[in-house]
């Protein structure tokens, strides 16, 4: 499961922030997951908690909140904007899975639904971010 | 707290069991950089090294053609993705996900692709990771400088007035960035060419020349055959030179 690698990145980032903010035990972290990553929230939460458990001295039964940010796309050519969910139904299984691995291949496997253009951008809903952590000093 | 991108935090972890990284670059396209990178990887593997090859020429990937990759099936997943073994080389490329179809990527997209590939690829232990860089000094080069500071740059050039300017600019940027530059290798040297090409005037070590070799074309897709060409023999000499230096 390749999500494990990304879950590890959440834990590592939380540890860095905790170190910087002098937080001894992390009790909660909030993650923003770009929709384009196509990662199941429950699976991701489980992976983060499993990896956090291996750092038990820093994570005290951590609560993991995950918010998905919808992916919005914008065509540079015609100005049309659309949500990824409007086009993902047109993808083959392989195309959807490719985007799940490397989200930016959305530029390979989709086009602007209005003008068919290749020059569009991801306005929101990509990447994985640690939004907040809470803990005890 | 400002929200923080998490994927970059594990790039160093993914690369920690790699003894040395060679980024094969050039200031100009068409100088044979991808062939040098892939054949160097093959030479290193043939000499008994555990080798990886990462194709970061995202707009025009060609390493899969040179190595003779037969299947573009998704890589196996295990705590990330495992680079498939191709002729003894662990190989990773965007083509496994683009299925070798074209994509038009702007700068921010290139950076995100690189970050994702670097964050999820589990290389394991390697003696050498060779990176096939795109030509010029764009996002990929800047991202390698940012996320792979331990990379050693091998500059590929040709003895042409047209190419020299671009190559010199790249070399100067690398020197300004205080990164490790192995030197410049002159590719496609013709019989009877002047011994000292303009590349030897660059302010980095001149690592010698690779002969112009028309027999390469038929060997593309067959790394073993590539190593048996005169070009392959010259790459073997380059391999030894690199192993002396890093």
């Amino acid at each position: 499961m390749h999500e494990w690698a990304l879950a590890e990145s959440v834990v590592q980032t939380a540890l860095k922030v905790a170190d910087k903010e002098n937080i001894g035990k992390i009790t909660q972290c909030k993650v923003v997951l770009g929709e384009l990553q196509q990662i199941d929230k429950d699976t991701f939460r489980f992976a983060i908690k499993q990896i956090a458990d291996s750092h038990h001295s820093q994570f005290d039964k951590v609560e993991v909140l995950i918010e998905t940010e919808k992916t919005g796309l914008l065509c540079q050519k015609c100005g049309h904007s659309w949500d990824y969910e409007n086009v993902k139904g047109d993808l083959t299984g392989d195309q959807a899975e490719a985007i799940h691995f490397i989200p930016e291949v959305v530029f390979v496997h989709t086009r602007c639904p209005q003008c068919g253009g290749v020059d569009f951008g991801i306005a929101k809903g990509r990447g994985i971010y640690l939004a907040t952590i809470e803990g005890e000093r | 707290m400002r929200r923080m991108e998490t994927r970059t935090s594990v790039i160093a972890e993914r690369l920690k069991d790699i003894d040395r990284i060679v980024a094969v670059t050039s200031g100009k396209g068409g100088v044979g950089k991808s062939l040098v990178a892939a054949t160097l990887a093959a030479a290193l593997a043939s000499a008994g090294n555990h080798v990886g090859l990462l194709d970061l020429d995202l707009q025009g990937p060609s390493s899969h053609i040179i190595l003779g990759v037969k299947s573009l099936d998704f890589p196996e997943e295990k705590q990330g993705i495992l680079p498939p073994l191709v002729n003894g080389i662990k190989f990773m490329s965007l083509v496994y996900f683009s299925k070798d179809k074209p994509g038009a990527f702007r700068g921010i997209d290139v950076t995100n692709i690189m970050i994702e590939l670097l964050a999820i690829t589990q290389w394991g232990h390697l003696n050498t990771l060779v990176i096939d860089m795109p030509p010029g000094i764009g996002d990929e080069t800047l991202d390698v400088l940012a996320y792979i500071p331990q990379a050693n740059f091998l500059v590929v050039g040709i003895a042409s007035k047209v190419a020299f300017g671009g190559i010199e600019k790249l070399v100067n940027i690398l020197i300004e960035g205080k990164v490790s530059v192995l030197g410049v290798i002159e590719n496609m040297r013709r019989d009877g060419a002047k011994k000292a090409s303009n590349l030897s005037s660059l302010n980095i070590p001149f690592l010698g020349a690779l002969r112009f070799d028309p027999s390469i074309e038929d060997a593309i897709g067959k790394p073993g055959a590539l190593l048996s060409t005169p070009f392959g023999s010259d790459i073997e000499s380059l391999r030894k030179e690199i192993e002396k230096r890093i």
Side-chain angles (χ1 to χ4, degrees):
Chain A
M1 188 182 72
H2 95 281
E3 289 89 330
W4 190 97
L6 299 169
E8 188 186 22
S9 77
V10 172
V11 172
Q12 287 300 324
T13 305
L15 287 170
K16 280 185 185 143
V17 172
D19 189 51
K20 196 175 161 213
E21 301 291 330
N22 267 328
I23 292 173
K25 281 195 187 298
I26 301 167
T27 55
Q28 187 197 82
C29 60
K30 183 176 172 189
V31 177
V32 176
L33 195 49
E35 180 195 8
L36 207 54
Q37 302 278 156
Q38 298 288 280
I39 289 175
D40 175 72
K41 277 173 26 174
D42 290 336
T43 306
F44 202 49
R45 185 181 296 112
F46 179 79
I48 291 170
K49 284 173 75 73
Q50 198 177 41
I51 295 165
D53 278 349
S54 67
H55 295 272
H56 58 86
S57 64
Q58 285 113 325
F59 288 88
D60 188 19
K61 297 186 179 54
V62 63
E63 183 187 16
V64 178
L65 305 175
I66 301 182
E67 176 189 309
T68 302
E69 184 178 74
K70 271 171 78 73
T71 296
L73 302 132
L74 173 66
C75 183
Q76 306 291 339
K77 188 179 169 199
C78 72
H80 180 61
S81 62
W82 66 100
D83 293 335
Y84 175 66
E85 65 183 10
N86 299 142
V87 296
K88 71 177 183 183
D90 300 329
L91 297 169
T92 64
D94 267 4
Q95 288 171 333
E97 190 166 353
I99 293 169
H100 164 64
F101 279 112
I102 306 289
E104 279 69 26
V105 298
V106 71
F107 298 109
V108 174
H109 300 303
T110 70
R111 296 288 182 263
C112 170
Q114 179 153 283
C115 71
V118 300
D119 187 8
F120 56 95
I122 301 168
K124 61 185 175 82
R126 86 159 107 199
I128 302 173
Y129 296 87
L130 180 67
T132 60
I133 69 168
E134 286 180 13
E136 299 157 14
R137 290 207 152 85
Chain B
M1 174 186 145
R2 193 171 53 90
R3 71 180 200 175
M4 292 180 69
E5 159 68 68
T6 66
R7 294 168 300 169
T8 51
S9 68
V10 290
I11 292 175
E13 176 73 19
R14 299 288 173 260
L15 304 176
K16 74 175 182 346
D17 289 330
I18 299 173
D19 299 334
R20 63 184 166 220
I21 298 176
V22 177
V24 182
T25 188
S26 74
K28 202 90 174 89
V31 301
K33 172 191 47 58
S34 297
L35 259 171
V36 170
T39 312
L40 177 62
L44 285 159
S46 179
N49 290 275
H50 295 290
V51 183
L53 176 64
L54 172 62
D55 191 341
L56 282 187
D57 192 345
L58 303 177
Q59 307 284 12
S62 57
S63 301
H64 61 294
I65 297 168
I66 301 167
L67 289 187
V69 169
K70 299 281 183 288
S71 164
L72 293 183
D73 287 347
F74 294 124
E76 190 186 332
E77 294 176 76
K78 187 177 177 189
Q79 296 185 339
I81 55 173
L82 301 181
L85 204 61
V86 180
N87 289 301
I89 298 164
K90 287 186 182 178
F91 177 61
M92 185 45 61
S93 166
L94 186 66
V95 295
Y96 288 115
F97 311 100
S98 67
K99 305 300 179 185
D100 214 10
K101 291 190 183 152
F105 308 119
R106 288 190 179 265
I108 187 171
D109 309 316
V110 164
T111 292
N112 271 277
I113 291 169
M114 271 194 61
I115 288 172
E116 193 83 20
L117 278 173
L118 290 172
I120 67 174
T121 304
Q122 294 281 9
W123 295 99
H125 171 249
L126 296 174
N127 301 115
T128 309
L129 174 64
V130 179
I131 303 178
D132 181 14
M133 301 288 296
I137 325 166
D139 297 276
E140 295 88 342
T141 302
L142 293 170
D143 288 334
V144 166
L145 293 177
Y147 300 118
I148 316 179
Q150 70 272 43
N152 304 279
F153 283 82
L154 171 66
V155 181
V156 179
I158 57 173
S160 153
K161 295 188 202 77
V162 174
F164 187 75
I167 295 166
E168 187 181 38
K169 288 178 180 61
L170 168 69
V171 167
N172 287 341
I173 286 280
L174 294 177
I175 290 171
E176 269 188 68
K178 295 184 171 50
V179 298
S180 166
V181 183
L182 290 167
V184 61
I185 183 83
E186 179 189 334
N187 197 17
M188 300 193 229
R189 177 179 279 190
R190 302 259 179 183
D191 283 342
K194 278 188 269 195
K195 284 284 175 203
S197 81
N198 52 6
L199 295 172
S200 58
S201 70
L202 292 166
N203 202 10
I204 54 174
F206 181 72
L207 300 176
L210 310 169
R211 285 168 280 180
F212 176 77
D213 182 0
S215 70
I216 293 174
E217 187 62 26
D218 286 340
I220 285 170
K222 295 168 271 183
L226 270 172
L227 291 175
S228 302
T229 61
F231 171 79
S233 164
D234 291 343
I235 288 283
E236 172 62 11
S237 301
L238 175 64
R239 173 195 69 82
K240 288 176 184 163
E241 188 59 39
I242 288 171
E243 286 187 325
K244 269 194 273 181
R245 289 169 184 265
I246 48 169

